[in-house]
Amino acid sequence: MSVSVAQEQAAFHEAEVADERLRGRERIARFLSRVIFYSLLMLIALVAVPYGTVQVWWEALFECLVFALGALWIIEGMLSRSWLLNGHRVFVPILLIVLYAFIQTLPLPSTSATASGLKLWNAISADPYETRLSVLKLLALGLAGVMLFSYTSNKRRLRALIYTIIGVGILSAFFGILRQTTQHTQGFLFFPFLSPGSGYGQFINRNHFAFLMEMVLGLILGLIVGQGVRREQVLIYLALALPVWTALVLCNSRGGLFSMLAQVLFLALLFSLARAKRDDVQQVSEERSLFRRIIHASFFRPVLLAGLMVMIFIGAVWIGGESLTSRLETVSSEIGAEGNQGNEGVRRLEIWRATWALIKDHPLTGVGFNGYWAAIPQYHHASGVSTPQQAHNDYLELVASGGIIGVALVGWFLFLLVRRIRQSLRAPDSFRRATVLGASVGLFGVAVHSMVDFGLHVTINALIFTALIVIGIAELRIEDEKPVTVYSPQRTQENAKLKR
């Protein structure tokens, strides 16, 4: 009898030790979860500072920090056993794109040649070194997206991510306005490469700045229109949107202005998908029902949309002034068929023609991601004074860089993304629908602007773009930061014995 009691006590003690270990693992996992998530938010703010992170050493620092957080993510996942989620399948095509880009850098022995006694190895990529750099960057961005998706697990963290994006946009907008009104010499504050009249904000290129403003503005407008903020906060969010809109207009980006107008149209089209079908929480009053009937009338939204677009356009021309008007007048010369004086070949239409000729020679595999600049000179028939480094159209450059294979992989990713966003737009929670609506509008602005520019080549824009994707597909699995109880069969059995 005493032996049996001793055995039960020993088993109980072992169960207690096992439980304590499980609780310790839970605490460590929760701590790592917070560290990784808020480090990612700090990383978004950091990447926005040094010219949007376009210099090689800043890009390398960004990638190293992401990979370091990725190592912690793996450790946290092994402790909590919760880092493999179904939602990660959206990022599978990105991983395959990274793998495909690496394959483009591999040598092809069958096409090897010799020169001066040295054996030359050709590859699919026109510049294997640059393609491998793009592999690291794509991998870092994809990993950052996966980690943000994993840890944006409740409304508190979703709000933190949204506030970070909005904060980065507002500070960049104020910095741009300040720089435009006060800079008169080379360099500004801690940015020695900023020249007066060139670029905007902390960006060297005004069009890249416009990409950031479009994403932030779309997110704010989506939150307002989708009723993701309380009524007393609407004026606050409108006040936050005002400097972003002003900076977007003042940066004199023609593509940015066109994208902003397209975002308003897209927002109106998505609004009907994002609104709730029925308010089953409380009884709707007669006054509110009358208001709903008015705003849902067939004539209301077209009139509101037309009025809003006219107001935005007039306001943009008024704020932008003569400089914006002059920039808009040059659109026809960019895409028109008339010849370019001096045969420099810098107009977009000429660059697109050269890119299309490149695509026809490399339709299947392309010339390698980030290898466009090395392959385009032989197709760009101009004086040579200026040679394009990008296609000024991310869709054409994607086909030129990745060929049909790359387009298929990106198409797969877009299919999975759109399907998840459509599901999220039907969420019962109004805040969740509003966040998806805002993210979708921001992503759409980038999709439109990418037809004439290459803003996603800038690290901060690509990172914010990734964060908007996460907002659009996030799974809010828990409501607070309480530890998740780890199931232990041994614990259950021992508790049952104690009850007996």
Side-chain angles (χ1 to χ4, degrees):
M1 189 68 175
S2 60
V3 175
S4 177
V5 172
Q7 291 177 345
E8 289 185 359
Q9 291 178 347
F12 176 75
H13 178 70
E14 292 178 0
E16 288 293 322
V17 173
D19 289 348
E20 184 61 31
R21 289 177 179 174
L22 288 173
R23 286 192 293 268
R25 291 174 59 175
E26 290 174 1
R27 287 193 294 268
I28 296 174
R30 289 178 59 210
F31 174 75
L32 289 178
S33 171
R34 294 192 185 98
V35 168
I36 296 171
F37 177 74
Y38 291 106
S39 295
L40 287 170
L41 298 188
M42 293 176 61
L43 185 61
I44 292 175
L46 174 65
V47 170
V49 175
Y51 311 102
T53 302
V54 293
Q55 296 164 301
V56 176
W57 47 86
W58 282 106
E59 289 185 342
L61 177 61
F62 161 73
E63 293 162 6
C64 290
L65 291 175
V66 171
F67 293 145
L69 293 176
L72 293 179
W73 173 60
I74 294 175
I75 296 173
E76 189 276 332
M78 291 187 296
L79 291 174
S80 64
R81 300 187 180 95
S82 62
W83 57 292
L84 290 178
L85 302 172
N86 293 331
H88 286 166
R89 68 185 63 179
V90 176
F91 296 95
V92 171
I94 301 298
L95 179 61
L96 294 179
I97 292 173
V98 172
L99 179 61
Y100 173 58
F102 177 74
I103 292 175
Q104 289 180 320
T105 67
L106 298 179
L108 302 175
S110 59
T111 59
S112 61
T114 58
S116 302
L118 299 176
K119 193 171 185 179
L120 303 179
W121 295 88
N122 294 327
I124 294 176
S125 173
D127 189 341
Y129 175 76
E130 289 294 334
T131 301
R132 290 187 179 182
L133 290 181
S134 69
V135 166
L136 291 175
K137 188 171 182 178
L138 282 172
L139 185 59
L141 289 169
L143 182 58
V146 171
M147 289 189 292
L148 279 174
F149 177 82
S150 298
Y151 296 119
T152 308
S153 55
N154 53 55
K155 285 186 179 180
R156 181 186 303 174
R157 291 189 176 183
L158 181 59
R159 286 192 177 96
L161 178 58
I162 291 172
Y163 294 157
T164 300
I165 295 174
I166 294 176
V168 167
I170 292 174
L171 290 177
S172 299
F174 277 122
F175 182 78
I177 297 172
L178 176 65
R179 177 189 163 202
Q180 182 180 13
T181 55
T182 60
Q183 184 183 10
H184 304 290
T185 59
Q186 177 68 26
F188 188 74
L189 297 180
F190 303 104
F191 300 91
F193 299 112
L194 295 180
S195 302
S198 177
Y200 204 85
Q202 71 272 37
F203 290 79
I204 303 297
N205 188 317
R206 60 166 56 92
N207 296 307
H208 299 165
F209 175 84
F211 269 80
L212 177 59
M213 295 299 102
E214 293 157 12
M215 290 186 281
V216 176
L217 182 62
L219 182 58
I220 297 176
L221 293 180
L223 289 172
I224 296 173
V225 175
Q227 300 177 358
V229 297
R230 294 190 297 270
R231 290 184 178 179
E232 59 270 19
Q233 295 178 328
V234 171
L235 292 179
I236 297 176
Y237 276 80
L238 287 175
L240 295 177
L242 182 60
V244 177
W245 174 78
T246 303
L248 178 57
V249 173
L250 290 178
C251 74
N252 287 340
S253 171
R254 297 163 297 182
L257 180 60
F258 177 74
S259 300
M260 179 177 60
L261 296 175
Q263 283 180 303
V264 175
L265 177 61
F266 184 71
L267 179 61
L269 295 176
L270 276 188
F271 177 67
S272 59
L273 296 176
R275 72 170 185 241
K277 294 182 179 179
R278 186 182 299 271
D279 188 359
D280 53 1
V281 178
Q282 59 183 3
Q283 191 69 25
V284 182
S285 63
E286 289 297 325
E287 292 79 12
R288 190 173 178 185
S289 297
L290 177 62
F291 178 72
R292 282 175 175 270
R293 285 198 298 269
I294 293 175
I295 65 174
H296 293 165
S298 59
F299 68 87
F300 181 78
R301 272 185 294 170
V303 173
L304 179 63
L305 174 63
L308 185 59
M309 292 190 69
V310 170
M311 287 177 59
I312 289 178
F313 183 78
I314 294 176
V317 175
W318 179 62
I319 294 293
E322 184 179 353
S323 59
L324 178 61
T325 304
S326 301
R327 294 257 319 154
L328 291 176
E329 291 175 352
T330 62
V331 172
S332 59
S333 63
E334 284 281 345
I335 60 177
E338 64 271 13
N340 184 52
Q341 187 176 4
N343 193 30
E344 294 181 3
V346 296
R347 296 184 306 143
R348 281 176 171 81
L349 182 60
E350 295 164 341
I351 296 174
W352 294 343
R353 286 174 177 170
T355 303
W356 182 246
L358 185 154
I359 291 172
K360 289 191 292 185
D361 283 352
H362 305 272
L364 182 61
T365 60
V367 295
F369 289 92
N370 219 19
Y372 173 87
W373 75 276
I376 195 62
Q378 69 180 97
Y379 300 93
H380 188 243
H381 305 298
S383 62
V385 174
S386 179
T387 303
Q389 302 295 302
Q390 293 84 19
H392 290 268
N393 183 314
D394 276 342
Y395 302 100
L396 281 177
E397 188 162 344
L398 170 64
V399 182
S401 302
I404 296 175
I405 297 176
V407 171
L409 291 174
V410 173
W412 181 23
F413 168 73
L414 292 177
F415 170 76
L416 296 177
L417 175 63
V418 172
R419 187 173 65 176
R420 285 293 302 273
I421 287 179
R422 288 185 59 186
Q423 294 172 356
S424 300
L425 280 172
R426 297 186 178 95
D429 181 64
S430 61
F431 174 74
R432 183 70 192 106
R433 292 193 306 271
T435 57
V436 179
L437 182 64
S440 301
V441 175
L443 294 173
F444 182 77
V446 172
V448 173
H449 200 167
S450 294
M451 292 190 294
V452 293
D453 275 308
F454 51 98
L456 288 182
H457 292 212
V458 180
T459 306
I460 182 57
N461 289 340
L463 187 57
I464 296 291
F465 186 82
T466 303
L468 290 182
I469 291 175
V470 170
I471 293 173
I473 67 175
E475 296 178 352
L476 305 185
R477 303 178 296 277
I478 56 178
E479 293 297 330
D480 50 36
E481 299 289 342
K482 293 180 180 179
V484 179
T485 302
V486 180
Y487 172 75
S488 172
Q490 185 179 9
R491 180 190 303 178
T492 304
Q493 294 175 3
E494 295 301 331
N495 290 339
K497 287 182 180 180
L498 288 176
K499 289 182 180 180
R500 291 197 299 267

